[in-house]
Amino acid sequence: MTEPTTRERIVAQADRLFYEHGFENTSFATIADSLGISRGNFYYHFKTKDEILDAVIAARLHSRRQLLDQWDAAGGPAERIRSFIHLLQANQGKILQYGCPVGTLCTELARLDHGLREDANQLMTLFRTWLRRQFTLLGRKADADDLAMHVLAFSQGVAVLAQAYHDKQFVRREVARMDAWLDTVTHTST
Amino acid sequence: MTEPTTRERIVAQADRLFYEHGFENTSFATIADSLGISRGNFYYHFKTKDEILDAVIAARLHSRRQLLDQWDAAGGPAERIRSFIHLLQANQGKILQYGCPVGTLCTELARLDHGLREDANQLMTLFRTWLRRQFTLLGRKADADDLAMHVLAFSQGVAVLAQAYHDKQFVRREVARMDAWLDTVTHTST
DNA sequence: GTCTATACAGCGATAGAC
DNA sequence: GTCTATCGCTGTATAGAC
């Protein structure tokens, strides 16, 4: 295990802070102070704030791809989709506090009309494409993207309300409902 | 029809700008300039930015209550829930651009850890309570709140993805899916 | 690579003239 | 009730010493 570089430490910290407090609401000073490095040093590694955002999005893409690769390595498509649905419960603590890391970033950048908006959307699309593939493998080729978007909408909606109300029971109920829905999809031919 | 007061004009404009660009991203200068009034005059009507936010939330609560009152005046509970579901399509243009006015505000204030967070949540709760009442009237007393939350989660999830992808067809499909779901709820006894 | 010091713009907020 | 002028703070970003 090699020691992380300063650059890597900055990206990891920015990733966390952008998630917990938002991109706009996180300043250079906050990131630098929380790492114990100076603002000046900061600019040696990243010329602008957008460059950090870019690196954070790239890091998230990388980590999410690894997660999907893990799921791909084991189980069938139905089991994999279930892993995605259950992610809401696995990350429940964070989601109740900060919402979905993907959804909240897309929403914030859309609102700021930010240039890297489409890059953030790539994160959402990563899951969309992956889900679509799983539904295709299940024999739902014709409406695979429709079903993928439905699963995404479910997870985003639950995340928004879970954060607003801090309600674990609600998450549990909705995940169970989605599990039941997935059963009907799995056991139906097109 | 009486001429709107300066205060009313400020609230209306802030309401619009907070929705379109977010609370944090909207400055006094932006609001004042867009109304053609000076920053100084601004502070005669509102001492702090939070006071404006408070007024905007109150205004939204008022307008949404009026909408629900209209729905209550005509049709049965099933028809009313359908009106709520179809709101996503009625306001499609705005939602594709700016998301849900209720959800995005709750998400932003949660993230800012803002003092008026709970007041924004009241907006969500207004719809939650109203939906719960409709499901109770449908004879689903036991799980009325569960169903209400499910409908809310649906609308929030669709709004997030509709904004990210600017996809009208997706909204249409999800609304149709929700309509079908409502049929199964309506025609099932507890 | 890391630091201190600083420039400069924009923010929320205040004082006081009209 | 509306204006101009200005303060103090924080934000992003830069320059230059070590």
Side-chain angles (χ1 to χ4, degrees):
Chain A
M1 222 49 173
T2 58
E3 199 79 343
T5 65
T6 300
R7 193 196 148 91
E8 287 166 347
R9 291 177 63 222
I10 291 176
V11 172
Q13 194 75 348
D15 190 354
R16 216 201 76 216
L17 291 169
F18 288 175
Y19 174 39
E20 296 179 359
H21 308 298
F23 168 70
E24 220 197 352
N25 197 34
T26 303
S27 68
F28 278 159
T30 311
I31 305 174
D33 289 354
S34 70
L35 285 171
I37 65 175
S38 70
R39 252 152 291 181
N41 185 6
F42 214 98
Y43 282 89
Y44 170 78
H45 298 282
F46 298 95
K47 271 100 192 83
T48 67
K49 198 182 178 184
D50 288 358
E51 273 189 29
I52 307 179
L53 178 58
D54 202 36
V56 166
I57 292 173
R60 289 193 190 177
L61 273 170
H62 181 70
S63 84
R64 296 331 186 259
R65 276 203 195 97
Q66 284 191 318
L67 179 68
L68 296 182
D69 284 348
Q70 278 178 31
W71 288 347
D72 279 340
E79 211 173 322
R80 289 177 205 150
I81 297 168
R82 222 171 282 280
S83 296
F84 177 81
I85 292 171
H86 291 172
L87 204 57
L88 275 172
Q89 268 180 320
N91 297 341
Q92 201 177 56
K94 287 259 170 190
I95 287 169
L96 288 184
Q97 270 194 77
Y98 310 114
C100 168
V102 177
T104 52
L105 186 65
C106 288
T107 298
E108 182 177 5
L109 295 190
R111 175 155 281 206
L112 294 176
D113 206 13
H114 196 285
L116 293 179
R117 218 198 124 165
E118 287 305 322
D119 298 72
N121 276 358
Q122 287 298 314
L123 263 166
M124 190 76 84
T125 303
L126 177 68
F127 287 102
R128 178 179 181 172
T129 309
W130 182 85
L131 283 167
R132 184 167 59 210
R133 198 179 324 128
Q134 309 314 316
F135 281 113
T136 303
L137 288 172
L138 280 174
R140 299 293 292 247
K141 198 169 191 303
D143 58 350
D145 189 60
D146 177 19
L147 297 170
M149 285 292 280
H150 181 67
V151 173
L152 280 180
F154 149 78
S155 70
Q156 291 303 318
V158 171
V160 168
L161 289 190
Q163 187 187 18
Y165 289 118
H166 289 302
D167 190 338
K168 283 189 192 185
Q169 298 303 319
F170 161 68
V171 175
R172 217 175 37 74
R173 283 199 310 266
E174 284 296 318
V175 166
R177 201 193 298 271
M178 207 58 186
D179 269 340
W181 172 85
L182 186 58
D183 283 338
T184 71
V185 173
T186 310
H187 301 131
T188 308
S189 56
T190 318
Chain B
M1 223 47 176
T2 59
E3 200 78 347
T5 64
T6 300
R7 194 195 147 91
E8 287 167 345
R9 290 178 64 223
I10 291 175
V11 173
Q13 194 75 348
D15 190 355
R16 217 202 75 216
L17 291 170
F18 287 175
Y19 174 39
E20 296 179 0
H21 307 298
F23 169 68
E24 219 195 353
N25 198 34
T26 302
S27 68
F28 280 161
T30 311
I31 306 174
D33 289 354
S34 70
L35 285 171
I37 65 175
S38 71
R39 251 154 290 181
N41 185 8
F42 214 98
Y43 282 88
Y44 171 78
H45 299 282
F46 298 95
K47 268 100 193 86
T48 69
K49 199 182 178 185
D50 287 358
E51 273 188 30
I52 306 179
L53 178 57
D54 202 38
V56 165
I57 293 174
R60 288 192 190 177
L61 273 170
H62 182 70
S63 84
R64 297 327 187 261
R65 278 204 194 94
Q66 285 192 318
L67 178 68
L68 296 183
D69 284 347
Q70 278 178 31
W71 288 347
D72 279 340
E79 210 172 323
R80 289 177 204 149
I81 298 168
R82 222 171 281 280
S83 295
F84 176 81
I85 292 170
H86 291 170
L87 204 56
L88 275 172
Q89 268 181 318
N91 298 342
Q92 201 177 56
K94 287 260 170 190
I95 287 169
L96 288 184
Q97 269 195 78
Y98 310 114
C100 167
V102 176
T104 53
L105 186 65
C106 288
T107 298
E108 182 177 6
L109 295 190
R111 175 155 280 207
L112 293 177
D113 206 15
H114 196 286
L116 294 179
R117 217 198 126 162
E118 287 306 320
D119 297 72
N121 276 357
Q122 287 297 316
L123 262 166
M124 191 75 84
T125 303
L126 176 69
F127 287 103
R128 178 180 181 172
T129 309
W130 181 85
L131 283 166
R132 185 167 58 210
R133 198 179 325 129
Q134 310 314 315
F135 281 113
T136 303
L137 288 172
L138 281 175
R140 299 293 293 247
K141 198 172 190 303
D143 58 350
D145 190 59
D146 177 21
L147 296 170
M149 285 291 280
H150 181 67
V151 173
L152 280 180
F154 149 78
S155 71
Q156 290 304 317
V158 171
V160 167
L161 289 190
Q163 187 188 17
Y165 290 118
H166 290 303
D167 189 339
K168 282 189 194 185
Q169 299 302 320
F170 161 69
V171 175
R172 216 175 36 75
R173 282 197 311 267
E174 284 297 318
V175 166
R177 200 192 298 270
M178 207 59 187
D179 269 339
W181 172 85
L182 186 58
D183 284 338
T184 72
V185 173
T186 311
H187 302 131
T188 308
S189 56
T190 317

